[in-house]
Amino acid sequence: MTAELVRGQNHTLPQTRLEIRVSAGSPVVAGATLGDERGTVRGVEWIAHPGAHRLPGLEVSRQAAADHRLAVDLDALPDAVHRVTVLLALPAGAGRPATFGAVAAPFVAVTGLDGAEIATFTLTGLDSESAVSALELYRRQGAWKVRAVGQGYAAGLAGMLADQGVAEAVELAASIQEAVASGLARSVTPPPRTPDSERVGHPAGPAASGDGGRPPAAPQVPEPPTEPLRDRTPPPPDLAPGGPIDYAHPRRQTSAPPPPAPAAPPAEPGRPAQPVAGDATGWSMDERLYNQIWGMFEDLARAVAAYRSAVDFAESRMDQELERTLSDPRSRIGGTGDRAREEARAKRDELTGRAREALERDLAQLTAESAVVEPALPASYAGWDNPVWHGYRVPMEIPMALRIGDLRLPESAELRIPLLVRLPLERGIWVDSGRTASEAAAATSGDQLRGLAMETAVALAARLLAVYPADEFSVHVIDPAGAAAGSLAPLVRAGVLAGPPAAGAEGVASVLARLTRRVDLVQMAIRAGASDALPPDLDTGEQLLIVNDFPHGFDDRAVTQLRYLADEGPSVGVHLLMVADREDARAYGPVLDPLWRSLLRITPVADDHLADPWVGHAWTYEPLRAPRGSNVLEQVLALVAAARRAGRR
């Protein structure tokens, strides 16, 4: 029976291998400190946080997230440890909640490895605090207990660490926030989350009606922790008080009810239902496909997380059994020790085999779903090899999202999930032309990487031009040394650029000044409520600035303007697409760190640098490439250019 704790209440823990699950309304930082008999933290080496996420017997998340799972093995803690305190803090940064009073009350649950809740605690009553000691596990007379704490700190993470006796509290808090900021910068932004009270559940079982072939909950191996694939019902649109439904997407507002999702064909007895494209709720087929793809992304992340957790558990259990056996001197006589090793390895192999079987079933169903979803995708969601591009027409409205690449995990190398970003773009994009640690980058020369990076940027610009209505999206290029002339040729030949690529310091200054002026004027018009007062020559459509070879050709003023565009531009329709090697700009030091963090980093070759927002896997990103020998990109740009010319007549 679950104990629902209130502040100050405790409860005996029936086992020592635990999970602590945290659910919050917005991303939070989760960590833990180890304390001695007096509760004192003896040093930074007794603190688990995103920058140092693993200690003996304790592991925490490596990034800020709305959901966390902390692994605790009380038997594996150092003998001097008598207390484990779970800490939560809000990540620092502009636009993020500053206090817990501004977010939903966090919920913390202590569970066994089978997911059964032992004790829960809802942290109510928080107001001006930005950090909180949520609960503590403590040892009393040889037995472990959990106590609900809920002690908040208005002084933030530094104040909370100082209260636990950490001498370097301010410096450590700053390093934790830096690690969190780096994690958030590489994390893919998820769509808005549906409150649990508004979720639409699916019937249990693989053949449930309307389940569309989603992988069912993975059969749990008896002891390792696994987690079923979550319901992927997307968030409903918000209701605007006193007005129509606010779909949170420009040019798409409707009060009509959403069309029903297509029904799945009847399943054969004992087999899962056949997948169907668009098997998610939404106000249009595009939205249903968007939500379905995000559901596939989350399902794959959680299925692999369950598998990896089961494998880790099997390895840990084998190590513990061998340690217990070999510590007994009697096991060294005869063949006792050898038999113990064989038995422990056999148990390990059995557990990992069952976990792999469960993963393979999930992967098979997700692969089948991908096979029916890919052919049904609209152009904005489709790869360049999709036949939908052969029937391309310039659209009349902006789509919900744009595909900018594919994601995959090593456990499922053949299964690729489209990486979709919402439109209009909410953050700029950085195509990293530097050398990374990936095998693909190691096999590519520096000049080739720079060329591929610019080709990736051009392909992205072409996709953006193709999915926007004619004359509602403009592309500007800064190429100070003219090094990207070959890569830019498709855009230049089609005549879809706002002007010739800017070269030299004078060209850089001219383009930046023009776009900075546009941001200033639009912001002033919005604040004053006078959008009709904008100059008639001002292009109010979306603007994309491609920057090649940064920081070549940039002086200090130009760098400041670029940072300004990165920070303020997206909210008023000015977006950055940077092609740069961070090493080339190292002379600026930490001054440019906020710029790099503000951009979504992608690579011109396969590289595992992106993280999902649920469990933090490192996903391999692959850019979209037109099929070898295909002219699809040039053909699409020609249609865009023709539509623009027709619109100006």
PDB file of all heavy atoms in Angstrom, residues 86-108:
ATOM      1  N   VAL A  86      17.231  14.345  -1.679  1.00  0.00           N
ATOM      2  CA  VAL A  86      16.886  14.618  -3.075  1.00  0.00           C
ATOM      3  C   VAL A  86      16.588  16.102  -3.229  1.00  0.00           C
ATOM      4  O   VAL A  86      15.744  16.662  -2.499  1.00  0.00           O
ATOM      5  CB  VAL A  86      15.677  13.774  -3.514  1.00  0.00           C
ATOM      6  CG1 VAL A  86      15.259  14.125  -4.938  1.00  0.00           C
ATOM      7  CG2 VAL A  86      15.999  12.290  -3.409  1.00  0.00           C
ATOM      8  N   LEU A  87      17.278  16.739  -4.163  1.00  0.00           N
ATOM      9  CA  LEU A  87      17.169  18.179  -4.377  1.00  0.00           C
ATOM     10  C   LEU A  87      16.531  18.472  -5.723  1.00  0.00           C
ATOM     11  O   LEU A  87      16.798  17.786  -6.707  1.00  0.00           O
ATOM     12  CB  LEU A  87      18.557  18.824  -4.345  1.00  0.00           C
ATOM     13  CG  LEU A  87      19.504  18.412  -3.216  1.00  0.00           C
ATOM     14  CD1 LEU A  87      20.857  19.067  -3.414  1.00  0.00           C
ATOM     15  CD2 LEU A  87      18.913  18.789  -1.869  1.00  0.00           C
ATOM     16  N   LEU A  88      15.708  19.502  -5.767  1.00  0.00           N
ATOM     17  CA  LEU A  88      15.131  19.988  -7.011  1.00  0.00           C
ATOM     18  C   LEU A  88      15.418  21.480  -7.130  1.00  0.00           C
ATOM     19  O   LEU A  88      15.370  22.203  -6.128  1.00  0.00           O
ATOM     20  CB  LEU A  88      13.614  19.756  -7.056  1.00  0.00           C
ATOM     21  CG  LEU A  88      13.110  18.328  -6.870  1.00  0.00           C
ATOM     22  CD1 LEU A  88      11.588  18.297  -6.902  1.00  0.00           C
ATOM     23  CD2 LEU A  88      13.676  17.408  -7.940  1.00  0.00           C
ATOM     24  N   ALA A  89      15.714  21.931  -8.333  1.00  0.00           N
ATOM     25  CA  ALA A  89      15.968  23.360  -8.558  1.00  0.00           C
ATOM     26  C   ALA A  89      15.487  23.730  -9.949  1.00  0.00           C
ATOM     27  O   ALA A  89      15.467  22.900 -10.857  1.00  0.00           O
ATOM     28  CB  ALA A  89      17.457  23.680  -8.408  1.00  0.00           C
ATOM     29  N   LEU A  90      15.103  24.973 -10.096  1.00  0.00           N
ATOM     30  CA  LEU A  90      14.683  25.469 -11.404  1.00  0.00           C
ATOM     31  C   LEU A  90      15.908  25.893 -12.202  1.00  0.00           C
ATOM     32  O   LEU A  90      16.801  26.559 -11.667  1.00  0.00           O
ATOM     33  CB  LEU A  90      13.733  26.657 -11.241  1.00  0.00           C
ATOM     34  CG  LEU A  90      12.374  26.334 -10.622  1.00  0.00           C
ATOM     35  CD1 LEU A  90      11.614  27.615 -10.322  1.00  0.00           C
ATOM     36  CD2 LEU A  90      11.556  25.446 -11.547  1.00  0.00           C
ATOM     37  N   PRO A  91      15.993  25.506 -13.480  1.00  0.00           N
ATOM     38  CA  PRO A  91      17.133  25.935 -14.288  1.00  0.00           C
ATOM     39  C   PRO A  91      17.095  27.433 -14.523  1.00  0.00           C
ATOM     40  O   PRO A  91      16.025  28.022 -14.718  1.00  0.00           O
ATOM     41  CB  PRO A  91      16.966  25.150 -15.591  1.00  0.00           C
ATOM     42  CG  PRO A  91      15.516  24.791 -15.651  1.00  0.00           C
ATOM     43  CD  PRO A  91      15.055  24.661 -14.229  1.00  0.00           C
ATOM     44  N   ALA A  92      18.265  28.051 -14.487  1.00  0.00           N
ATOM     45  CA  ALA A  92      18.346  29.488 -14.723  1.00  0.00           C
ATOM     46  C   ALA A  92      18.239  29.772 -16.213  1.00  0.00           C
ATOM     47  O   ALA A  92      18.549  28.929 -17.048  1.00  0.00           O
ATOM     48  CB  ALA A  92      19.662  30.030 -14.169  1.00  0.00           C
ATOM     49  N   GLY A  93      17.796  30.975 -16.539  1.00  0.00           N
ATOM     50  CA  GLY A  93      17.725  31.364 -17.945  1.00  0.00           C
ATOM     51  C   GLY A  93      16.535  32.248 -18.225  1.00  0.00           C
ATOM     52  O   GLY A  93      15.495  32.153 -17.551  1.00  0.00           O
ATOM     53  N   ALA A  94      16.702  33.108 -19.207  1.00  0.00           N
ATOM     54  CA  ALA A  94      15.624  34.010 -19.595  1.00  0.00           C
ATOM     55  C   ALA A  94      14.433  33.224 -20.123  1.00  0.00           C
ATOM     56  O   ALA A  94      14.593  32.252 -20.854  1.00  0.00           O
ATOM     57  CB  ALA A  94      16.119  34.997 -20.654  1.00  0.00           C
ATOM     58  N   GLY A  95      13.248  33.658 -19.740  1.00  0.00           N
ATOM     59  CA  GLY A  95      12.033  33.023 -20.225  1.00  0.00           C
ATOM     60  C   GLY A  95      11.627  31.794 -19.449  1.00  0.00           C
ATOM     61  O   GLY A  95      10.614  31.169 -19.774  1.00  0.00           O
ATOM     62  N   ARG A  96      12.398  31.408 -18.428  1.00  0.00           N
ATOM     63  CA  ARG A  96      12.065  30.235 -17.629  1.00  0.00           C
ATOM     64  C   ARG A  96      11.457  30.669 -16.304  1.00  0.00           C
ATOM     65  O   ARG A  96      11.740  31.766 -15.802  1.00  0.00           O
ATOM     66  CB  ARG A  96      13.310  29.380 -17.387  1.00  0.00           C
ATOM     67  CG  ARG A  96      13.974  28.929 -18.673  1.00  0.00           C
ATOM     68  CD  ARG A  96      15.059  27.883 -18.413  1.00  0.00           C
ATOM     69  NE  ARG A  96      15.690  27.482 -19.664  1.00  0.00           N
ATOM     70  CZ  ARG A  96      15.176  26.604 -20.490  1.00  0.00           C
ATOM     71  NH1 ARG A  96      14.025  26.020 -20.199  1.00  0.00           N
ATOM     72  NH2 ARG A  96      15.789  26.294 -21.619  1.00  0.00           N
ATOM     73  N   PRO A  97      10.612  29.831 -15.683  1.00  0.00           N
ATOM     74  CA  PRO A  97      10.035  30.196 -14.387  1.00  0.00           C
ATOM     75  C   PRO A  97      11.136  30.468 -13.373  1.00  0.00           C
ATOM     76  O   PRO A  97      12.118  29.726 -13.287  1.00  0.00           O
ATOM     77  CB  PRO A  97       9.211  28.959 -14.009  1.00  0.00           C
ATOM     78  CG  PRO A  97       8.949  28.245 -15.300  1.00  0.00           C
ATOM     79  CD  PRO A  97      10.139  28.524 -16.162  1.00  0.00           C
ATOM     80  N   ALA A  98      10.962  31.525 -12.593  1.00  0.00           N
ATOM     81  CA  ALA A  98      11.981  31.912 -11.618  1.00  0.00           C
ATOM     82  C   ALA A  98      11.729  31.317 -10.243  1.00  0.00           C
ATOM     83  O   ALA A  98      12.655  31.213  -9.431  1.00  0.00           O
ATOM     84  CB  ALA A  98      12.061  33.439 -11.515  1.00  0.00           C
ATOM     85  N   THR A  99      10.487  30.938  -9.948  1.00  0.00           N
ATOM     86  CA  THR A  99      10.155  30.399  -8.638  1.00  0.00           C
ATOM     87  C   THR A  99       9.212  29.211  -8.788  1.00  0.00           C
ATOM     88  O   THR A  99       8.497  29.085  -9.786  1.00  0.00           O
ATOM     89  CB  THR A  99       9.483  31.460  -7.753  1.00  0.00           C
ATOM     90  OG1 THR A  99       8.201  31.801  -8.314  1.00  0.00           O
ATOM     91  CG2 THR A  99      10.338  32.713  -7.635  1.00  0.00           C
ATOM     92  N   PHE A 100       9.197  28.351  -7.779  1.00  0.00           N
ATOM     93  CA  PHE A 100       8.289  27.210  -7.800  1.00  0.00           C
ATOM     94  C   PHE A 100       6.834  27.643  -7.657  1.00  0.00           C
ATOM     95  O   PHE A 100       5.928  26.881  -7.981  1.00  0.00           O
ATOM     96  CB  PHE A 100       8.655  26.219  -6.694  1.00  0.00           C
ATOM     97  CG  PHE A 100       9.748  25.268  -7.084  1.00  0.00           C
ATOM     98  CD1 PHE A 100      11.030  25.424  -6.575  1.00  0.00           C
ATOM     99  CD2 PHE A 100       9.504  24.230  -7.959  1.00  0.00           C
ATOM    100  CE1 PHE A 100      12.044  24.550  -6.926  1.00  0.00           C
ATOM    101  CE2 PHE A 100      10.511  23.350  -8.329  1.00  0.00           C
ATOM    102  CZ  PHE A 100      11.784  23.516  -7.814  1.00  0.00           C
ATOM    103  N   GLY A 101       6.616  28.858  -7.180  1.00  0.00           N
ATOM    104  CA  GLY A 101       5.253  29.354  -7.098  1.00  0.00           C
ATOM    105  C   GLY A 101       4.622  29.586  -8.449  1.00  0.00           C
ATOM    106  O   GLY A 101       3.398  29.687  -8.564  1.00  0.00           O
ATOM    107  N   ALA A 102       5.442  29.659  -9.479  1.00  0.00           N
ATOM    108  CA  ALA A 102       4.939  29.914 -10.831  1.00  0.00           C
ATOM    109  C   ALA A 102       4.711  28.636 -11.627  1.00  0.00           C
ATOM    110  O   ALA A 102       4.301  28.698 -12.787  1.00  0.00           O
ATOM    111  CB  ALA A 102       5.928  30.812 -11.589  1.00  0.00           C
ATOM    112  N   VAL A 103       4.968  27.469 -11.029  1.00  0.00           N
ATOM    113  CA  VAL A 103       4.803  26.200 -11.741  1.00  0.00           C
ATOM    114  C   VAL A 103       3.934  25.268 -10.907  1.00  0.00           C
ATOM    115  O   VAL A 103       3.641  25.529  -9.738  1.00  0.00           O
ATOM    116  CB  VAL A 103       6.173  25.535 -12.029  1.00  0.00           C
ATOM    117  CG1 VAL A 103       7.046  26.449 -12.872  1.00  0.00           C
ATOM    118  CG2 VAL A 103       6.884  25.172 -10.746  1.00  0.00           C
ATOM    119  N   ALA A 104       3.525  24.185 -11.528  1.00  0.00           N
ATOM    120  CA  ALA A 104       2.729  23.196 -10.811  1.00  0.00           C
ATOM    121  C   ALA A 104       3.564  22.553  -9.709  1.00  0.00           C
ATOM    122  O   ALA A 104       4.787  22.439  -9.814  1.00  0.00           O
ATOM    123  CB  ALA A 104       2.229  22.127 -11.783  1.00  0.00           C
ATOM    124  N   ALA A 105       2.892  22.135  -8.629  1.00  0.00           N
ATOM    125  CA  ALA A 105       3.584  21.523  -7.499  1.00  0.00           C
ATOM    126  C   ALA A 105       4.269  20.234  -7.932  1.00  0.00           C
ATOM    127  O   ALA A 105       3.620  19.343  -8.486  1.00  0.00           O
ATOM    128  CB  ALA A 105       2.596  21.241  -6.371  1.00  0.00           C
ATOM    129  N   PRO A 106       5.581  20.094  -7.689  1.00  0.00           N
ATOM    130  CA  PRO A 106       6.263  18.852  -8.051  1.00  0.00           C
ATOM    131  C   PRO A 106       5.730  17.665  -7.246  1.00  0.00           C
ATOM    132  O   PRO A 106       5.313  17.806  -6.093  1.00  0.00           O
ATOM    133  CB  PRO A 106       7.730  19.135  -7.708  1.00  0.00           C
ATOM    134  CG  PRO A 106       7.838  20.626  -7.635  1.00  0.00           C
ATOM    135  CD  PRO A 106       6.510  21.095  -7.140  1.00  0.00           C
ATOM    136  N   PHE A 107       5.781  16.497  -7.878  1.00  0.00           N
ATOM    137  CA  PHE A 107       5.332  15.252  -7.245  1.00  0.00           C
ATOM    138  C   PHE A 107       6.501  14.283  -7.237  1.00  0.00           C
ATOM    139  O   PHE A 107       7.166  14.091  -8.261  1.00  0.00           O
ATOM    140  CB  PHE A 107       4.154  14.665  -8.022  1.00  0.00           C
ATOM    141  CG  PHE A 107       3.718  13.302  -7.555  1.00  0.00           C
ATOM    142  CD1 PHE A 107       2.893  13.160  -6.455  1.00  0.00           C
ATOM    143  CD2 PHE A 107       4.135  12.162  -8.222  1.00  0.00           C
ATOM    144  CE1 PHE A 107       2.487  11.906  -6.022  1.00  0.00           C
ATOM    145  CE2 PHE A 107       3.740  10.902  -7.808  1.00  0.00           C
ATOM    146  CZ  PHE A 107       2.910  10.774  -6.699  1.00  0.00           C
ATOM    147  N   VAL A 108       6.772  13.685  -6.072  1.00  0.00           N
ATOM    148  CA  VAL A 108       7.895  12.768  -5.923  1.00  0.00           C
ATOM    149  C   VAL A 108       7.364  11.434  -5.423  1.00  0.00           C
ATOM    150  O   VAL A 108       6.544  11.389  -4.495  1.00  0.00           O
ATOM    151  CB  VAL A 108       8.948  13.323  -4.936  1.00  0.00           C
ATOM    152  CG1 VAL A 108      10.148  12.391  -4.863  1.00  0.00           C
ATOM    153  CG2 VAL A 108       9.388  14.718  -5.347  1.00  0.00           C
TER     154      VAL A 108
END
